[in-house]
Amino acid sequence: MFIGSIDGADAAGGATLAANPHLRSTFGYAPDTPEDRVNPFAPDRFADPAARAAFLERLTSEGAVADYLLRMRRLDGSAVWVEVTATALADGPALRVEALVRDVSERKKLDDRSRDLYQQLLQAEKMAALGQTITGVAHELNNPLATILSWAERLADKPLDASAKRGVDLILAEADRAARIVRNLLPFARKRQSTRAMIDVNRVVADTLALRTYEHSLTNITVTTALAAGLPQVFADAHQIQQVLLNLIINAEQAMLSANGRGALVVRTWHDAEAESVALEISDDGPGVPVDMKTKIFDPFFTTKEVGQGTGLGLTVAYAIVQEHGGQIRVESHPGRGAAFVVGLPVSGGDAVPKRLRPPAPSMEAVRGAAVLLVEDERALAAAVRDALEDAGLRVDYAGDGEEALACVRQTTYDAIVCDLKMPRVDGMTLYRAIAAATPPLARRIIFVTGDVAGTDAERFLEESGCRWLAKPFRLADLLRAVRDTLG
């Protein structure tokens, strides 16, 4: 409780006639502080000076306020949320005020947390809907990409003049780039189990930046990369490391654009031999991270963005993933001079192997003359695959879907089957079960090709069946290798 006067023009803020112990405690005054030195409505007690002016204007115009929410400061500078119910009478230049002040800091924290959780629920629903859309689009894109890649490979093996060869090589490279972009989108569409392997960090960086290239061109953000050559490989989940990079890059973009309307992003990698790790740095020229926030930025739900503009989980997720991989993440920043996030991933030994654009075709001499059934509803893709299999010395029959394939299997004996997983009428899973019931040895020689399996029933099916499978778009050399190994 407070009884006294408040003067909007007086720097001291007025005079106090009565203040109970609870008011003293709320604002951090000692219990024996004289009442005339307790001044909760002094200008320096308000976190926002404009809030004091609005509060006094309301009291003056209406003569009373009820449950008026204010963010105040205690004597030690810490914040406290209070609700004020007060009546006021004009007393010369000042207001004579009787006020009940309640500390509602805990309630405000709970309200904020409830709002954050609600925002998380909305975000999860939006991501679920987006995930379904991405999954469908990715599957539809992977089929034509597989056709383009396969036919481009077939053309590349023909005698071509220099100009035509350059054109075919460009088609291969760009189709391969499009395929990588689609693959990079799929992990964010569905939950997936962690799958670790020896990875090239520079390759993950390049793939991640490719996802943001268009956005950077629209928002006037320049990107400079300094990726060290010959980095050792690390044992990690490439998709999870990509998620870390995306979170850091998007945070940097938002910070730069909100402060400057433009930005310069620098991405560096190097081998930290002393720490036995591969280091990755994302730095920006944004406003930087305030000193008092450095210890909080990795906390769940901590965000400096407006409500609805951020979830407060991006850096928390990044921190958790890096920790799970046995690495470290830290921030280096000076206010007004940008920020740099440095990720260190432990080296697992071995040298990075550069990825070749076209894998070499395997020798098929040992399986020449084998009978193969090709089951694929995408006829343009089927034509390229059929030609490649026949050129390798295999005898090939074609079926447009699982129903036609079952009819072929009843009439002809096959050494192996190359089958699309998702088809009209009878799909690949149904075909497999029918063959497994009738001819178990043949079921073990089915090779599936599919546009998307991550996080789906198809993924569980492939794990349970133990069948070989290739993700579309695939390289013909990889398919030939799978056929050779299956027949062998």
Side-chain angles (χ1 to χ4, degrees):
M1 182 189 71
F2 166 85
I3 299 176
S5 62
I6 304 176
D7 189 347
D10 186 357
T16 301
L17 301 178
N20 67 0
H22 182 72
L23 184 73
R24 289 183 171 88
S25 175
T26 297
F27 285 90
Y29 290 97
D32 57 352
T33 303
E35 290 180 330
D36 61 352
R37 296 182 60 187
V38 178
N39 198 341
F41 297 108
D44 57 357
R45 294 280 69 80
F46 285 77
D48 180 4
R52 183 175 191 265
F55 172 66
L56 295 181
E57 181 181 356
R58 177 87 169 267
L59 267 179
T60 302
S61 62
E62 299 184 11
V65 295
D67 299 332
Y68 195 98
L69 185 64
L70 289 168
R71 187 169 183 263
M72 312 290 280
R73 294 197 182 279
R74 298 185 177 94
L75 289 183
D76 62 3
S78 61
V80 58
W81 285 93
V82 300
E83 277 186 350
V84 180
T85 297
T87 58
L89 296 172
D91 186 11
L95 290 175
R96 181 179 175 85
V97 177
E98 294 182 4
L100 178 65
V101 181
R102 292 188 297 274
D103 182 350
V104 294
S105 298
E106 289 303 316
R107 192 194 75 192
K108 187 69 167 57
K109 287 181 182 177
L110 290 175
D111 289 345
D112 289 346
R113 181 170 297 179
S114 296
R115 186 188 66 238
D116 288 339
L117 291 174
Y118 176 68
Q119 292 296 328
Q120 294 303 314
L121 178 61
L122 291 180
Q123 186 74 6
E125 290 177 347
K126 288 189 287 186
M127 288 305 294
L130 179 61
Q132 292 177 353
T133 302
I134 288 176
T135 300
V137 169
H139 183 273
E140 293 306 311
L141 283 175
N142 278 332
N143 278 315
L145 281 173
T147 303
I148 293 169
L149 273 172
S150 298
W151 276 110
E153 284 191 88
R154 298 287 297 154
L155 286 173
D157 292 334
K158 305 293 183 184
L160 300 172
D161 59 40
S163 176
K165 181 170 175 41
R166 283 196 303 271
V168 171
D169 288 343
L170 183 60
I171 292 171
L172 275 171
E174 290 301 290
D176 203 45
R177 175 186 170 206
R180 287 198 306 271
I181 292 173
V182 173
R183 283 197 301 269
N184 291 338
L185 287 174
L186 286 175
F188 304 100
R190 287 184 172 132
K191 292 182 180 179
R192 62 190 303 278
Q193 294 180 346
S194 176
T195 304
R196 298 193 188 186
M198 302 301 294
I199 67 168
D200 178 358
V201 171
N202 284 348
R203 168 62 60 185
V204 177
V205 170
D207 289 344
T208 306
L209 289 175
L211 290 174
R212 304 297 296 170
T213 299
Y214 181 69
E215 190 69 23
H216 291 160
S217 67
L218 291 180
T219 55
N220 196 27
I221 290 178
T222 60
V223 179
T224 303
T225 59
L227 308 182
L231 282 181
Q233 290 184 313
V234 299
F235 186 65
D237 185 321
H239 298 297
Q240 289 187 341
I241 299 305
Q242 186 177 70
Q243 184 174 358
V244 171
L245 292 176
L246 271 178
N247 289 352
L248 296 178
I249 290 170
I250 291 173
N251 268 11
E253 292 168 2
Q254 293 174 342
M256 292 186 293
L257 293 176
S258 64
N260 309 320
R262 46 151 299 280
L265 190 71
V266 179
V267 183
R268 297 196 303 135
T269 61
W270 67 93
H271 179 205
D272 188 339
E274 184 176 344
E276 295 185 349
S277 68
V278 169
L280 165 67
E281 180 184 86
I282 308 291
S283 60
D284 62 70
D285 62 350
V289 179
V291 175
D292 61 337
M293 291 185 183
K294 284 186 179 181
T295 59
K296 303 177 183 177
I297 56 174
F298 296 111
D299 292 347
F301 302 116
F302 179 81
T303 179
T304 58
K305 303 182 182 75
E306 297 292 332
V307 174
Q309 298 299 311
T311 64
L313 286 177
L315 290 179
T316 305
V317 170
Y319 182 88
I321 290 175
V322 173
Q323 288 289 306
E324 185 184 349
H325 280 75
Q328 295 181 334
I329 182 171
R330 69 180 189 274
V331 60
E332 299 173 355
S333 177
H334 298 284
R337 294 165 55 188
F341 285 84
V342 181
V343 175
L345 297 171
V347 171
S348 303
D351 295 325
V353 178
K355 185 176 181 181
R356 288 176 294 190
L357 182 62
R358 292 189 65 192
S363 172
M364 302 293 287
E365 283 300 321
V367 296
R368 183 174 293 274
V372 176
L373 175 63
L374 173 62
V375 190
E376 172 62 65
D377 63 318
E378 293 283 335
R379 295 188 178 275
L381 173 59
V385 172
R386 183 173 187 170
D387 286 353
L389 293 174
E390 290 179 339
D391 286 352
L394 302 173
R395 294 185 294 109
V396 184
D397 287 341
Y398 169 70
D401 58 36
E403 189 172 314
E404 291 181 18
L406 284 173
C408 291
V409 170
R410 293 188 189 103
Q411 297 173 6
T412 307
T413 299
Y414 294 102
D415 299 302
I417 297 176
V418 177
C419 181
D420 191 8
L421 198 58
K422 185 177 180 181
M423 296 179 292
R425 299 200 293 181
V426 176
D427 63 12
M429 288 184 281
T430 305
L431 175 63
Y432 169 84
R433 294 185 182 105
I435 293 175
T439 317
L442 180 58
R444 292 192 292 270
R445 298 197 300 274
I446 297 178
I447 303 166
F448 286 105
V449 294
T450 180
D452 171 36
V453 298
T456 66
D457 291 339
E459 183 175 34
R460 289 185 290 274
F461 161 75
L462 291 171
E463 289 177 356
E464 293 169 0
S465 68
C467 289
R468 295 176 183 269
W469 65 277
L470 296 175
K472 292 180 180 180
F474 49 82
R475 288 308 180 88
L476 292 175
D478 292 331
L479 176 62
L480 290 175
R481 187 173 291 104
V483 171
R484 183 197 63 184
D485 293 346
T486 298
L487 292 172

